[in-house]
């Protein structure tokens, strides 16, 4: 029998009782940030429930992690506590359970309409790392810049390439982003100029938040990695391609990426994603033992990127991709990141890199999709896009399709505003 | 007349009344982290002073920033508050002032011998960035890897190259570091192997902590940068050269650096460094306007790196360098870092990159000093070093030489321990 909530949730909602993702919100009634769980069109206020000592199981009793303004403390408790919370919330929201269903006062207190809430970055992100784990993406970009023969760097098939990103500029879906200004090298010139980026791009990514983490010097083995991963979000790694091209040698991208990274507000737990595990591409050559999985696997998460452009009634879907297209698995990413002893803390964010698939339609950024601007996207209103223009809104979404329900991520949305005048 | 404290401070001490750097310590009497200021062989406990409401000036009254376990809140208050605290502490410690000098009970309570204290990372570091600002260093490394003609990348003279580092693994002086293990590519092979790094190196750097910071999207102009820099520390950017070589293309160093970064415990304020400003090398070509200074300047900070090796009675000084050898100024670093809108928060750490000078003796890492191991360092005990060996202790120190006193940074020390067995 399918799990069902007393709260009405349509089949295409991202937030049925099978999901129960965590976020942090404020509302007119609760101006202080509270932790909540999404259910249909509502947010269940865990702060209020924790105040009422609802979480009285073995792992959560007395911990008061839901009185915190971020998810870090809960993430730090580990898998047994995450499972306990999920089970208790599913019981509380189930159609059979009268506790909340039949208590009109309690419902009014703990169920907040999403339309009244403002979402916030739900985690204090200690460190943010960005991988480069789609082989299709790496090959496309490599082909454009170095030709087909040298598309993949020699290390790419042996390790999940990554770099450190900027944690301070991770922002929540809905926050507009100003076009950045910086140094770029004009074509046919040896001297850089300063101007607003002309090659603004999105990158379709997903990211996971770490759980308890490891002490400095003690790597997380690949077969224990899932004990240290709490859940996932959508990520838009905004990129200024012209700034990137000029600055990135030899130490990697810096200003071209650190002005903004947008995440979706609801952290979907690995437990909710578990039914959507799927086998994925074999890895060849076989990785070194510290990266070996019995078999490569992923999650079947459908992903879309749409563009909402001025004078267009509806948004237009450009990219249709899937999380399963990634070559490197999340357990391998975490094992690799910690193999030299680097320590993870609860709430670190590890993003996937652009998630491109085998088809043109599944290319996860405009650089690839338009092949450096040589194949512009044609929009339904007759306009074209090589890269983003001021006023464009990028909307990413993703969900797993169950039998009559979806486990979804909601939206990761952001509008590009014109560059600010230099002060 | 020279400023003088009632506490006896020898001429070669790093911590006279002219310095007063900030740190965070615990001691048997104070197991909770307290903010303190170094004076001679003592730590003045600012937690105790703040409890007594000693800080009653315009900018600090009621703020209670010294009751915090880190310096972030104090750093966030800005320059006027930093000045006020410095002035008040200099008064309190001055030879003429009886308040503390003649109160034996108060002295016992607020002056803790350094020998009894344990120092801690004094700041919650939100983000850590590492620059690459020594031209000598960039030229040496570039020459080794790409030949003399292509030593500097085309962007190097136009912008202060940098990358994001890992904040979680910034550790305090004295913390030992295990030799990391990871993927390396053996010579004459296409297939990487997994083993402990064989090319372990230090990098002599300095770093500054940011003050109030900027909102996302609003760059800090170069001529306002000093309002946002609190003070400086010594930094050892431990590096595993063989891991770095294999992993760093195309996104920059990652695991080769993120296993540990050691900082010295005392944050020396810019106000204490002000008398040691000096002109430094002209920049040619002239940078773009957002990076332009009326004249390039630096601080005259003498730097040393010594090695303490098993069976050697004394440590042996390898590198003798100076902060003023950097090509890019700290104001330019901060202006560049924020030019695309990247936001700084109080307590972010921006390090300089390896500080090498024009002479062989001033090369700030073993890679350069031994020219990739081809010119090993000869130690007084007859042994040689191409790179670090297990058990070696790296000791960095630095100070400004005043007339009869030093404004110093103490030590940035760390011992390299053998690799841990893989669990």
């Amino acid at each position: 029998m399918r799990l069902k909530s007393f709260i009405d949730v349509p089949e295409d909602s991202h937030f049925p009782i099978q999901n129960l993702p965590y976020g942090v919100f404020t509302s007119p009634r609760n101006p202080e940030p509270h932790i909540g769980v999404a259910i249909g069109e509502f947010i269940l206020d865990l702060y209020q429930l924790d105040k009422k000592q609802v979480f009285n199981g073995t792992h959560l009793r007395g911990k008061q992690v839901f009185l915190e303004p971020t998810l870090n403390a809960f993430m730090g408790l580990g898998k047994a506590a995450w499972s306990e919370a999920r089970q208790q919330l599913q019981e509380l929201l189930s159609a059979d359970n009268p506790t909340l269903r039949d208590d009109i006062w309690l419902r009014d207190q703990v169920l907040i309409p999403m339309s009244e809430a403002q979402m916030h970055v739900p985690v204090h992100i200690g460190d943010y790392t960005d991988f480069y784990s789609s082989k299709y993406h790496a090959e496309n970009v490599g082909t454009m810049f170095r030709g087909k023969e040298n598309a993949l760097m020699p290390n790419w098939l042996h390790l999940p390439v990554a770099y450190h990103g900027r944690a301070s500029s991770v922002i929540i879906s809905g926050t507009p982003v100003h076009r950045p200004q910086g140094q770029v090298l004009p074509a046919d010139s040896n001297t850089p100029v300063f101007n607003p980026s002309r090659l603004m791009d999105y990158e379709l990514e997903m990211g996971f938040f770490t759980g308890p983490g490891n002490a400095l010097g003690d790597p997380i083995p690949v077969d224990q990695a899932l004990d240290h991963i709490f859940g996932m979000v959508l990520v838009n790694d905004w990129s200024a391609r012209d700034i990137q091209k000029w600055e990135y040698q030899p130490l990697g991208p810096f200003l071209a990426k650190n002005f903004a990274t947008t995440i979706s507000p609801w952290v979907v737990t690995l437990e909710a994603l578990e039914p959507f595990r799927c086998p994925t591409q074999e890895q060849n050559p076989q990785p070194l033992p510290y990266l070996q999985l019995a078999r490569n696997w992923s999650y079947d998460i459908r992903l879309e990127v749409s563009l909402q452009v001025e004078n267009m009634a509806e948004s237009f879907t450009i990219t249709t991709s899937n999380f399963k297209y990634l070559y490197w698995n999340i357990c391998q990413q975490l094992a690799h990141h910690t193999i030299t002893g680097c320590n993870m803390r609860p709430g670190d964010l590890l993003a996937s890199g652009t998630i491109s698939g085998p088809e043109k339609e599944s290319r996860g950024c405009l650089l690839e999709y338009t092949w450096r601007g040589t194949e512009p996207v044609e929009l339904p209103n007759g306009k074209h896009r090589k890269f983003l223009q001021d006023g464009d809104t990028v909307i990413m979404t993703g969900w797993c399709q169950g039998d009559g329900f979806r486990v979804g991520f909601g939206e990761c949305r952001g509008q590009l505003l014109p560059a600010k005048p230099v002060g």
Side-chain angles (χ1 to χ4, degrees), chain A residues 154-167:
Chain A
N155 57 16
W156 202 96
L157 293 170
H158 295 282
L159 55 84
V161 170
Y163 72 105
H164 297 296
R166 179 85 189 173

Side-chain angles (χ1 to χ4, degrees), chain A residues 32-46:
Chain A
E32 295 297 317
H34 284 188
I35 294 174
V37 146
I39 177 79
E41 300 285 317
F42 291 88
I43 301 172
L44 181 64
D45 186 337
L46 300 200

